Amino acid sequence: MKQREKLAAGLLVLLFPVILLVSMMDAFGPSSTQHHRALYNEILPIIYDENEHEHIKRMKATGDYGECEIRPPVFPDHEITPTFSASYPGSGAKMTWVLIEAITGLQTHNDIMFDNTRYAVSTKTHYPNREGTLLKGEENVPRAIIVLRHPLDAFPSYFNYLYEMENHLENHSTRAPIQAWISWRDAHFEGQLQNWQHFVEYWMDKFSPADRVIICFEKIINDVYGPIEAGRLAEFLGRSDGVNVHPPELIPCIWHKVVKYKDSNNARRRLESMEGLAKFDIDPNSFALSDPSRPNSHRDGPKYIPPYNLQQLNAVKSMLSSLLDKYREESSLNPVLRKYIHEAEMREEEMRKKKEEKRNAAVL
């Protein structure tokens, strides 16, 4: 008996370090969320194929995107994996957060209300732009949606917002006069260009490819690419613990109702959203409630393509090319940058042609 006891004691001594090591590995190893995320790959851009996406083409032609119901979003009664929704000012942040709510049925919030809790499906932010806020506890947010819009279009859209604020006008209501745009452009162009580049670098470097998805504004509003891009967004959101998204077959309908929506049921939705906020002791008047009736800008005023001079167009190309060199291996960002460079080149070529035509007309 004593010999057995000695043998058991010896085995315990030998096994103890192994048990301790396993316990330490379990304690300091990846959390269930980290392990879950490690199973995923990057969500790459989808190349449109007429055969594969025949149903999208048919929807566009007929205007029939199917039937779906978008209910007012609610705050979840359970913890979810928090996600940032980052965009440069003037890049469709409002539309994106309404689309996120429609896809998930869960409420979003912004960086003003961020308190490191997990009761919202995403947090809208413009950081590191001055319109955004460096958030305490942001290191605990493991995922990000990065919404990109061509800087040549984002800058004037941002200026329209500043013009509205300066003149005490309703947000997304007024397009600034062209002379006001030109004056602001010339005074702030270099700074805005640096800020846009810094924004892209900050969010690209902060998250690994599997933990971020790049959503292209130009695609999300496009009649053909829009439903496809919304599908990528839904897939990414569906990877968050505690988040359930609508099935893929309903995403085109949801996209169409949000991005192309015209009717308004905002009064009922705002009331229900305010009731939801009250449960968390949040002042509804300080919260940026989303509006499904106006997910996109409906600015009135003189319609024009915001002009740039040749030097500014060349500076945009140079900045985009610099980013392309830095992120050449990034499969999601690379095609977006190439497209933006091409569009800047096209605008530059068009401007040169117009100048040439004016010179020829003057000679005649």
Side-chain angles (χ1 to χ4, degrees):
M1 180 67 69
K2 289 184 178 181
Q3 188 174 2
R4 288 183 179 179
E5 290 176 352
K6 288 182 179 180
L7 180 60
L11 287 173
L12 184 60
V13 171
L14 291 173
L15 289 174
F16 180 77
V18 177
I19 296 172
L20 180 62
L21 179 61
V22 171
S23 300
M24 291 175 64
M25 290 175 64
D26 184 61
F28 295 99
S31 65
S32 59
T33 300
Q34 291 173 324
H35 177 71
H36 187 59
R37 284 159 46 214
L39 300 177
Y40 291 119
N41 294 320
E42 179 182 9
I43 298 178
L44 298 172
I46 297 175
I47 300 175
Y48 176 73
D49 182 277
E50 285 195 4
N51 295 322
E52 184 178 352
H53 300 107
E54 175 64 28
H55 63 295
I56 301 293
K57 186 178 179 181
R58 186 167 57 252
M59 288 176 181
K60 177 190 175 185
T62 62
D64 183 6
Y65 288 82
E67 294 295 329
C68 57
E69 181 181 4
I70 299 179
R71 297 181 179 180
V74 298
F75 288 106
D77 55 5
H78 56 275
E79 281 197 354
I80 60 177
T81 303
T83 300
F84 279 126
S85 176
S87 61
Y88 195 84
S91 301
K94 183 178 181 180
M95 177 187 66
T96 305
W97 97 53
V98 177
L99 186 57
I100 290 172
E101 290 180 343
I103 289 173
T104 64
L106 299 176
Q107 185 68 268
T108 63
H109 62 183
N110 55 35
D111 50 12
I112 298 175
M113 297 300 301
F114 181 80
D115 60 1
N116 199 27
T117 57
R118 299 188 176 194
Y119 60 75
V121 66
S122 70
T123 297
K124 176 183 75 72
T125 181
H126 294 309
Y127 189 82
N129 184 273
R130 70 173 189 173
E131 300 295 343
T133 304
L134 179 60
L135 305 173
K136 182 180 180 181
E138 52 84 24
E139 67 276 3
N140 297 320
V141 180
R143 315 175 75 237
I145 299 161
I146 307 171
V147 183
L148 294 183
R149 186 181 189 182
H150 201 303
L152 292 176
D153 298 318
F155 296 165
S157 180
Y158 177 36
F159 172 66
N160 285 332
Y161 163 78
L162 296 176
Y163 181 84
E164 290 165 342
M165 296 301 101
E166 182 180 349
N167 292 278
H168 309 288
L169 300 170
E170 183 184 354
N171 191 12
H172 290 273
S173 67
T174 306
R175 187 177 295 106
I178 188 170
Q179 288 303 323
W181 152 248
I182 292 175
S183 297
W184 183 87
R185 177 203 70 184
D186 291 343
H188 300 278
F189 177 79
E190 290 184 4
Q192 290 299 312
L193 201 61
Q194 292 173 2
N195 290 343
W196 197 91
Q197 179 175 356
H198 182 41
F199 170 85
V200 174
E201 292 174 333
Y202 177 85
W203 291 102
M204 289 297 295
D205 296 345
K206 186 175 178 63
F207 295 95
S208 67
D211 291 329
R212 53 171 154 79
V213 64
I214 295 176
I215 298 298
C216 184
F217 174 86
E218 290 81 6
K219 284 188 175 182
I220 203 72
I221 65 172
N222 183 272
D223 288 340
V224 174
Y225 279 101
I228 300 172
E229 199 77 348
R232 294 178 63 242
L233 177 61
E235 181 182 354
F236 185 78
L237 290 166
R239 294 179 176 184
S240 298
D241 291 339
V243 176
N244 294 315
V245 300
H246 286 286
E249 59 269 20
L250 293 183
I251 298 302
C253 174
I254 292 171
W255 167 84
H256 187 258
K257 281 195 172 185
V258 170
V259 179
K260 306 294 182 179
Y261 201 58
K262 301 297 181 184
D263 298 329
S264 174
N265 62 349
N266 187 49
R268 177 177 64 83
R269 185 176 189 275
R270 182 175 178 84
L271 176 61
E272 294 177 354
S273 296
M274 290 173 69
E275 292 173 349
L277 288 169
K279 295 178 182 179
F280 295 90
D281 296 323
I282 298 174
D283 178 12
N285 295 319
S286 65
F287 197 92
L289 292 174
S290 49
D291 180 354
S293 67
R294 299 181 65 187
N296 216 336
S297 177
H298 292 266
R299 288 190 167 103
D300 294 323
K303 293 186 178 181
Y304 57 86
I305 298 176
Y308 293 89
N309 59 44
L310 287 174
Q311 183 179 0
Q312 290 165 343
L313 290 175
N314 190 59
V316 170
K317 288 195 307 177
S318 178
M319 181 273 291
L320 293 171
S321 297
S322 175
L323 285 174
L324 182 60
D325 288 340
K326 182 176 181 179
Y327 298 106
R328 193 168 294 276
E329 302 303 318
E330 290 285 353
S331 301
S332 291
L333 182 61
N334 186 299
V336 177
L337 294 175
R338 289 184 181 277
K339 181 175 182 293
Y340 286 175
I341 291 171
H342 175 69
E343 290 174 358
E345 289 173 342
M346 294 295 291
R347 292 185 67 166
E348 186 179 38
E349 181 181 350
E350 183 180 356
M351 182 174 289
R352 292 186 187 279
K353 284 183 178 179
K354 287 183 178 180
K355 284 193 172 186
E356 183 66 25
E357 290 173 357
K358 285 185 178 180
R359 280 196 295 266
N360 293 337
V363 171
L364 296 175

